[in-house]
Amino acid sequence: MSHIKFSIILPLYKQVDHSNELYHTYVESLSAISSSWELLFIVNGVDDGTTEKLNQLNKLDNVHIYFLKLGGWGRAVKYGLSKAKGEFLCYTNSARTEINDLILILQYAEVNNYNVVKATRIIREAFIRKLGSVLYNLQCRFMLKVPVWDINGTPKVIPQQIYSQLSISSEDDLIDAEIIAFCSKKNYRIIEIPIISTKRISGSSTTNIKSAIKMYLGVFRIKRQIK
């Protein structure tokens, strides 16, 4: 494939039970769009058999499976972005993303003149999780001066020509805040598309009080970086 329009990056953590469904759902839905694409599965942290399962399923040259011994959302996203060859780079939380929402975000990205396009989740299933997210997003808006209401919302689509101008160092949950903060600082337009998000589709959340506190404190580090 000489030109790839979209690179879709899917970090996976302990999702062997859902790998078959994820593979077929994404491949079948992406095959129905008119634009060229590649799909990058990034198995990270623990290989519970997901890598082998995906390799058994895969017969396509534009689907790539990688395994990272070290875990972490940011590490997996960053690695996928480094391998992606598309004109538009998309990454998303496979455990929470409905495929129709992903396709919608890709369509918006394609017609929006090389702006950053991302999802904004409207509903969450638990009050405590929602409260924590609201506080984190308020902190990011105040400290990082970012014009978004859901900084961790995915799917996110970043034009390759924009991402190549960023210098991202985060390898944890702060990668979303760092990417958005640098895009905002460089005056790249960020377009938010509302989607309904109420439950996990697969896997289990790795977010806990310890990781949440680390994210709140990490915003101070990002603020120093973008000065």
Side-chain angles (χ1 to χ4, degrees):
M1 188 180 294
S2 58
H3 175 77
I4 301 172
K5 177 69 74 171
F6 295 114
S7 294
I8 297 92
I9 298 155
L10 291 179
L12 302 179
Y13 177 73
K14 292 184 178 181
Q15 287 182 257
V16 65
D17 292 340
H18 309 282
S19 55
N20 184 76
E21 181 182 359
L22 283 170
Y23 179 88
H24 289 295
T25 297
Y26 276 81
V27 168
E28 290 171 10
S29 297
L30 290 169
S31 296
I33 69 176
S34 59
S35 300
S36 57
W37 55 273
E38 65 173 353
L39 182 59
L40 295 83
F41 290 100
I42 315 296
V43 183
N44 68 98
V46 176
D47 192 353
D48 58 349
T50 302
T51 304
E52 181 181 2
K53 182 72 172 180
L54 290 172
N55 280 320
Q56 290 173 350
L57 291 168
N58 188 37
K59 307 297 180 186
L60 300 175
D61 292 336
N62 60 333
V63 177
H64 312 286
I65 297 99
Y66 301 97
F67 171 63
L68 298 181
K69 188 173 183 179
L70 295 177
W73 164 253
R75 182 176 285 106
V77 168
K78 190 176 175 182
Y79 184 82
L81 291 170
S82 73
K83 294 293 184 181
K85 298 179 175 62
E87 184 179 349
F88 295 92
L89 310 180
C90 173
Y91 68 90
T92 195
N93 183 339
S94 60
R96 287 190 172 275
T97 301
E98 295 283 354
I99 189 63
N100 291 336
D101 292 330
L102 173 72
I103 300 300
L104 177 68
I105 298 297
L106 295 180
Q107 291 171 337
Y108 270 98
E110 192 167 16
V111 299
N112 269 285
N113 299 319
Y114 291 92
N115 296 308
V116 176
V117 179
K118 62 176 293 297
T120 293
R121 300 159 294 181
I122 301 303
I123 300 174
R124 290 179 181 272
E125 72 276 24
F127 173 76
I128 294 299
R129 186 179 177 91
K130 183 175 182 178
L131 177 61
S133 178
V134 168
L135 293 175
Y136 180 67
N137 280 287
L138 287 173
Q139 180 191 20
C140 288
R141 283 183 70 90
F142 176 74
M143 293 185 63
L144 305 181
K145 307 293 191 259
V146 294
V148 302
W149 285 109
D150 184 12
I151 205 156
N152 287 341
T154 60
K156 284 185 176 73
V157 181
I158 309 167
Q160 177 80 261
Q161 67 181 34
I162 288 180
Y163 184 72
S164 65
Q165 303 301 312
L166 308 180
S167 180
I168 304 302
S169 62
S170 295
E171 294 189 333
D172 53 17
D173 291 340
L174 287 158
I175 191 169
D176 293 279
E178 187 178 357
I179 287 175
I180 295 300
F182 274 112
C183 286
S184 180
K185 181 184 179 183
K186 291 178 178 291
N187 294 317
Y188 297 130
R189 189 182 300 274
I190 303 168
I191 299 172
E192 289 193 285
I193 308 301
I195 63 170
I196 303 299
S197 175
T198 59
K199 63 180 181 179
R200 296 184 70 85
I201 299 169
S202 63
S204 57
S205 177
T206 58
T207 302
N208 52 40
I209 293 179
K210 182 178 178 180
S211 62
I213 292 173
K214 184 178 179 181
M215 289 174 66
Y216 292 130
L217 296 176
V219 174
F220 291 90
R221 172 180 63 80
I222 294 174
K223 181 177 175 60
R224 291 193 298 269
Q225 281 181 244
I226 65 175
K227 281 187 176 181

Coordinates of all heavy atoms in Angstrom, one line a residue, residues 45-103:
G45 N 2.6 -5.0 28.6 CA 2.6 -5.3 30.0 C 2.6 -6.8 30.3 O 3.6 -7.3 30.9
V46 N 1.6 -7.4 29.9 CA 1.4 -8.9 30.2 C 0.9 -9.5 28.9 O -0.1 -9.1 28.4 CB 0.4 -9.1 31.3 CG1 0.2 -10.6 31.5 CG2 1.0 -8.5 32.6
D47 N 1.6 -10.5 28.4 CA 1.1 -11.2 27.2 C 0.3 -12.4 27.7 O 0.9 -13.5 28.1 CB 2.2 -11.6 26.3 CG 1.6 -12.1 24.9 OD1 0.4 -12.3 24.8 OD2 2.4 -12.3 24.0
D48 N -1.0 -12.3 27.8 CA -1.8 -13.4 28.3 C -2.3 -14.3 27.2 O -3.2 -15.1 27.4 CB -3.0 -12.8 29.1 CG -3.9 -11.9 28.2 OD1 -3.4 -11.6 27.1 OD2 -5.0 -11.5 28.5
G49 N -1.6 -14.3 26.1 CA -2.0 -15.0 24.9 C -2.6 -14.2 23.8 O -2.9 -14.7 22.8
T50 N -2.8 -12.9 24.1 CA -3.4 -12.0 23.1 C -2.6 -11.9 21.8 O -3.1 -12.0 20.7 CB -3.6 -10.6 23.7 OG1 -4.4 -10.7 24.9 CG2 -4.2 -9.7 22.7
T51 N -1.2 -11.8 22.0 CA -0.4 -11.7 20.8 C -0.5 -12.9 19.9 O -0.7 -12.8 18.7 CB 1.1 -11.5 21.2 OG1 1.2 -10.4 22.1 CG2 2.0 -11.3 20.0
E52 N -0.4 -14.1 20.5 CA -0.5 -15.3 19.7 C -1.9 -15.4 19.1 O -2.0 -15.8 17.9 CB -0.3 -16.5 20.6 CG -0.4 -17.9 19.9 CD -0.2 -19.1 20.8 OE1 0.0 -18.9 22.0 OE2 -0.2 -20.2 20.3
K53 N -2.9 -15.1 19.8 CA -4.3 -15.1 19.3 C -4.4 -14.2 18.0 O -5.0 -14.6 17.0 CB -5.3 -14.7 20.3 CG -6.7 -14.8 19.9 CD -7.2 -16.2 19.8 CE -8.7 -16.3 19.6 NZ -9.2 -17.7 19.5
L54 N -4.0 -13.0 18.2 CA -4.1 -12.0 17.1 C -3.3 -12.5 15.9 O -3.7 -12.4 14.7 CB -3.6 -10.7 17.5 CG -4.5 -9.9 18.5 CD1 -3.9 -8.7 19.0 CD2 -5.9 -9.6 17.9
N55 N -2.1 -13.0 16.1 CA -1.2 -13.5 15.0 C -1.9 -14.7 14.3 O -1.8 -14.8 13.0 CB 0.1 -13.9 15.5 CG 1.1 -12.8 15.7 OD1 1.1 -11.8 14.9 ND2 1.8 -12.8 16.8
Q56 N -2.6 -15.5 15.0 CA -3.4 -16.6 14.4 C -4.5 -16.1 13.5 O -4.8 -16.7 12.4 CB -3.9 -17.6 15.5 CG -2.8 -18.4 16.2 CD -3.4 -19.2 17.4 OE1 -4.6 -19.0 17.8 NE2 -2.6 -20.1 17.9
L57 N -5.2 -15.0 14.0 CA -6.3 -14.5 13.2 C -5.9 -13.7 12.0 O -6.6 -13.7 11.0 CB -7.1 -13.6 14.2 CG -7.9 -14.2 15.3 CD1 -8.3 -13.1 16.3 CD2 -9.1 -15.0 14.8
N58 N -4.7 -13.1 12.1 CA -4.4 -12.1 11.1 C -3.8 -12.7 9.8 O -2.9 -13.5 9.8 CB -3.3 -11.1 11.7 CG -3.1 -9.9 10.7 OD1 -4.0 -9.4 10.1 ND2 -1.8 -9.5 10.6
K59 N -4.4 -12.2 8.7 CA -4.0 -12.6 7.3 C -3.8 -11.4 6.5 O -3.5 -11.5 5.3 CB -5.0 -13.5 6.6 CG -5.5 -14.7 7.5 CD -4.3 -15.7 7.7 CE -4.8 -16.9 8.5 NZ -3.7 -17.8 8.9
L60 N -3.8 -10.2 7.1 CA -3.7 -9.0 6.3 C -2.4 -8.2 6.5 O -1.8 -8.2 7.6 CB -4.9 -8.0 6.7 CG -6.3 -8.5 6.6 CD1 -7.3 -7.6 7.2 CD2 -6.6 -8.8 5.1
D61 N -1.9 -7.7 5.4 CA -0.6 -6.9 5.4 C -0.8 -5.6 6.1 O 0.3 -5.0 6.6 CB -0.1 -6.7 4.0 CG 0.3 -8.0 3.3 OD1 0.6 -9.0 4.0 OD2 0.3 -8.0 2.1
N62 N -2.0 -5.0 6.2 CA -2.1 -3.7 6.8 C -2.6 -3.8 8.3 O -3.0 -2.8 8.9 CB -3.1 -2.9 6.0 CG -4.5 -3.5 5.9 OD1 -4.6 -4.7 5.9 ND2 -5.5 -2.6 5.7
V63 N -2.5 -5.0 8.9 CA -2.8 -5.2 10.3 C -1.5 -5.7 10.9 O -0.9 -6.7 10.5 CB -3.9 -6.2 10.6 CG1 -4.1 -6.4 12.1 CG2 -5.2 -5.7 9.9
H64 N -1.0 -5.0 12.0 CA 0.3 -5.3 12.6 C 0.1 -5.5 14.1 O -0.7 -4.8 14.8 CB 1.2 -4.1 12.4 CG 1.3 -3.6 11.0 ND1 1.9 -4.3 10.0 CD2 0.8 -2.5 10.4 CE1 1.8 -3.6 8.9 NE2 1.1 -2.5 9.1
I65 N 0.8 -6.5 14.6 CA 0.7 -6.9 16.0 C 2.0 -6.7 16.7 O 3.0 -7.3 16.2 CB 0.1 -8.3 16.2 CG1 -1.3 -8.5 15.7 CG2 0.1 -8.7 17.7 CD1 -1.4 -9.1 14.3
Y66 N 2.1 -6.0 17.8 CA 3.3 -5.7 18.5 C 3.1 -6.1 19.9 O 2.0 -6.0 20.5 CB 3.7 -4.3 18.4 CG 4.0 -3.8 17.0 CD1 3.0 -3.1 16.3 CD2 5.2 -4.0 16.3 CE1 3.2 -2.6 15.0 CE2 5.4 -3.5 15.1 CZ 4.4 -2.8 14.4 OH 4.6 -2.3 13.1
F67 N 4.2 -6.5 20.6 CA 4.2 -6.8 22.0 C 5.2 -6.0 22.7 O 6.4 -6.0 22.3 CB 4.4 -8.3 22.3 CG 4.5 -8.6 23.8 CD1 3.5 -8.3 24.7 CD2 5.7 -9.1 24.3 CE1 3.7 -8.5 26.1 CE2 5.9 -9.3 25.6 CZ 4.9 -9.1 26.5
L68 N 4.8 -5.3 23.8 CA 5.8 -4.5 24.6 C 5.8 -5.2 26.0 O 4.8 -5.3 26.6 CB 5.3 -3.1 24.7 CG 5.3 -2.2 23.5 CD1 4.8 -0.8 23.8 CD2 6.6 -2.2 22.8
K69 N 7.0 -5.6 26.4 CA 7.1 -6.2 27.7 C 6.7 -5.3 28.8 O 6.1 -5.7 29.8 CB 8.6 -6.7 27.9 CG 8.8 -7.6 29.1 CD 10.2 -8.1 29.2 CE 10.4 -9.1 30.4 NZ 11.7 -9.7 30.4
L70 N 7.1 -4.0 28.7 CA 6.7 -3.0 29.7 C 5.3 -2.5 29.4 O 5.0 -2.3 28.3 CB 7.7 -1.9 29.7 CG 9.1 -2.2 30.2 CD1 10.0 -1.0 30.1 CD2 9.1 -2.8 31.6
G71 N 4.5 -2.3 30.5 CA 3.1 -1.9 30.3 C 3.0 -0.4 30.3 O 4.0 0.3 30.5
G72 N 1.8 0.1 30.3 CA 1.5 1.5 30.4 C 0.8 2.0 29.1 O 1.2 1.7 28.0
W73 N -0.3 2.7 29.4 CA -1.1 3.3 28.3 C -0.3 4.2 27.4 O -0.2 4.0 26.2 CB -2.3 4.1 28.9 CG -3.0 5.0 28.0 CD1 -2.9 6.4 28.0 CD2 -3.9 4.7 26.9 NE1 -3.7 6.9 27.1 CE2 -4.3 5.9 26.4 CE3 -4.4 3.5 26.4 CZ2 -5.2 6.0 25.3 CZ3 -5.3 3.5 25.3 CH2 -5.7 4.8 24.8
G74 N 0.4 5.1 28.0 CA 1.2 6.1 27.3 C 2.3 5.4 26.5 O 2.6 5.8 25.3
R75 N 3.0 4.4 27.1 CA 4.1 3.7 26.4 C 3.5 3.0 25.1 O 4.1 3.0 24.1 CB 4.7 2.7 27.3 CG 5.9 1.9 26.7 CD 6.6 1.0 27.7 NE 7.4 1.8 28.6 CZ 7.1 2.0 29.9 NH1 6.0 1.5 30.4 NH2 7.9 2.7 30.7
A76 N 2.4 2.3 25.3 CA 1.8 1.6 24.1 C 1.4 2.6 23.1 O 1.6 2.4 21.9 CB 0.6 0.8 24.6
V77 N 0.7 3.7 23.4 CA 0.3 4.7 22.5 C 1.5 5.3 21.7 O 1.5 5.4 20.5 CB -0.5 5.8 23.2 CG1 -0.7 7.0 22.2 CG2 -1.9 5.3 23.6
K78 N 2.5 5.7 22.5 CA 3.7 6.3 21.9 C 4.4 5.4 21.0 O 4.9 5.8 19.9 CB 4.7 6.7 23.1 CG 5.8 7.6 22.7 CD 6.6 8.0 23.9 CE 7.8 8.8 23.5 NZ 8.6 9.2 24.7
Y79 N 4.5 4.1 21.3 CA 5.1 3.1 20.5 C 4.3 3.0 19.2 O 4.9 2.9 18.1 CB 5.2 1.7 21.2 CG 6.0 0.7 20.4 CD1 7.3 0.7 20.3 CD2 5.3 -0.2 19.6 CE1 8.0 -0.3 19.6 CE2 5.9 -1.2 18.9 CZ 7.3 -1.2 18.9 OH 8.0 -2.2 18.1
G80 N 3.0 2.9 19.3 CA 2.2 2.8 18.1 C 2.3 4.0 17.2 O 2.4 3.8 16.0
L81 N 2.4 5.2 17.8 CA 2.5 6.4 17.0 C 3.9 6.4 16.3 O 4.0 6.9 15.1 CB 2.4 7.6 17.9 CG 1.0 7.9 18.5 CD1 1.1 9.0 19.5 CD2 0.1 8.3 17.4
S82 N 4.9 5.8 16.9 CA 6.2 5.8 16.2 C 6.3 4.8 15.1 O 7.1 4.9 14.2 CB 7.3 5.3 17.3 OG 7.2 4.0 17.6
K83 N 5.4 3.8 15.1 CA 5.3 2.8 14.0 C 4.3 3.2 12.9 O 4.4 2.6 11.8 CB 4.9 1.4 14.6 CG 6.0 0.8 15.5 CD 7.2 0.5 14.8 CE 8.2 -0.2 15.7 NZ 9.5 -0.6 15.0
A84 N 3.4 4.1 13.2 CA 2.3 4.4 12.3 C 2.8 5.1 11.1 O 3.7 6.0 11.2 CB 1.3 5.2 13.0
K85 N 2.3 4.9 9.9 CA 2.7 5.5 8.6 C 1.6 6.3 8.0 O 1.7 6.8 6.9 CB 3.2 4.4 7.7 CG 4.4 3.6 8.2 CD 4.8 2.6 7.2 CE 6.2 1.9 7.6 NZ 6.0 1.2 8.9
G86 N 0.4 6.4 8.6 CA -0.7 7.1 8.0 C -0.6 8.6 8.0 O 0.2 9.2 8.7
E87 N -1.4 9.2 7.1 CA -1.5 10.6 7.1 C -2.2 11.2 8.3 O -1.9 12.3 8.8 CB -2.4 11.0 5.8 CG -2.5 12.4 5.5 CD -3.3 12.7 4.3 OE1 -3.6 11.7 3.5 OE2 -3.7 13.9 4.1
F88 N -3.1 10.4 8.9 CA -3.8 10.7 10.1 C -3.5 9.6 11.1 O -3.7 8.4 10.8 CB -5.3 10.9 9.9 CG -5.7 12.0 9.0 CD1 -5.8 11.8 7.7 CD2 -5.9 13.3 9.6 CE1 -6.2 12.9 6.8 CE2 -6.2 14.3 8.7 CZ -6.4 14.1 7.4
L89 N -3.1 10.0 12.3 CA -2.8 9.0 13.4 C -3.9 9.0 14.4 O -4.2 10.0 15.0 CB -1.5 9.4 14.1 CG -0.3 9.6 13.1 CD1 1.0 10.0 13.9 CD2 0.0 8.5 12.2
C90 N -4.5 7.8 14.6 CA -5.6 7.7 15.6 C -5.2 6.7 16.6 O -4.7 5.6 16.3 CB -6.9 7.3 14.8 SG -8.3 6.9 15.9
Y91 N -5.5 7.0 17.9 CA -5.4 6.0 18.9 C -6.6 6.1 19.8 O -7.3 7.1 19.9 CB -4.1 6.2 19.7 CG -4.0 7.4 20.6 CD1 -4.5 7.4 21.9 CD2 -3.5 8.6 20.2 CE1 -4.4 8.5 22.8 CE2 -3.4 9.7 21.0 CZ -3.8 9.6 22.3 OH -3.7 10.7 23.1
T92 N -7.0 4.9 20.4 CA -8.2 4.9 21.2 C -8.1 3.7 22.2 O -7.3 2.8 22.1 CB -9.4 4.7 20.3 OG1 -10.6 5.0 21.0 CG2 -9.5 3.3 19.7
N93 N -9.0 3.8 23.2 CA -9.1 2.8 24.3 C -10.0 1.8 23.7 O -11.2 2.0 23.7 CB -9.6 3.5 25.5 CG -9.7 2.5 26.7 OD1 -9.8 1.3 26.5 ND2 -9.8 3.1 27.9
S94 N -9.5 0.6 23.4 CA -10.3 -0.4 22.8 C -11.3 -1.0 23.7 O -12.3 -1.5 23.3 CB -9.4 -1.6 22.3 OG -8.6 -2.1 23.3
A95 N -11.1 -0.9 25.0 CA -12.0 -1.4 26.0 C -13.3 -0.5 26.2 O -14.3 -1.0 26.7 CB -11.3 -1.5 27.4
R96 N -13.2 0.7 25.7 CA -14.3 1.6 25.8 C -14.9 2.2 24.5 O -15.9 2.9 24.5 CB -14.0 2.8 26.7 CG -13.8 2.4 28.2 CD -13.7 3.6 29.1 NE -13.7 3.3 30.5 CZ -14.8 3.2 31.2 NH1 -16.0 3.4 30.6 NH2 -14.8 2.8 32.5
T97 N -14.3 1.9 23.4 CA -14.6 2.6 22.2 C -15.6 1.7 21.4 O -15.3 0.5 21.0 CB -13.4 2.8 21.3 OG1 -12.5 3.7 22.0 CG2 -13.8 3.5 20.0
E98 N -16.7 2.3 21.0 CA -17.7 1.6 20.1 C -17.1 1.9 18.7 O -16.7 3.0 18.4 CB -19.1 2.2 20.2 CG -19.7 2.0 21.6 CD -20.3 0.6 21.7 OE1 -20.2 -0.2 20.7 OE2 -20.7 0.2 22.8
I99 N -17.2 0.9 17.8 CA -16.6 1.0 16.5 C -17.3 2.1 15.7 O -16.6 2.8 14.9 CB -16.6 -0.4 15.8 CG1 -15.8 -0.3 14.5 CG2 -18.0 -0.8 15.5 CD1 -14.3 0.0 14.7
N100 N -18.6 2.3 15.9 CA -19.3 3.4 15.2 C -18.8 4.7 15.5 O -18.7 5.7 14.7 CB -20.8 3.3 15.4 CG -21.4 2.0 14.7 OD1 -20.8 1.5 13.8 ND2 -22.5 1.6 15.2
D101 N -18.4 4.9 16.8 CA -17.8 6.2 17.3 C -16.4 6.4 16.6 O -16.1 7.5 16.2 CB -17.7 6.2 18.8 CG -19.0 6.2 19.5 OD1 -20.0 6.8 18.9 OD2 -19.2 5.7 20.6
L102 N -15.6 5.4 16.5 CA -14.3 5.5 15.9 C -14.5 5.9 14.4 O -13.8 6.8 14.0 CB -13.6 4.1 15.9 CG -12.3 4.1 15.2 CD1 -11.2 4.9 15.8 CD2 -11.8 2.7 14.9
I103 N -15.4 5.3 13.7 CA -15.6 5.6 12.3 C -16.1 7.1 12.2 O -15.6 7.8 11.3 CB -16.6 4.7 11.6 CG1 -16.1 3.2 11.7 CG2 -16.9 5.1 10.2 CD1 -14.8 3.0 11.0

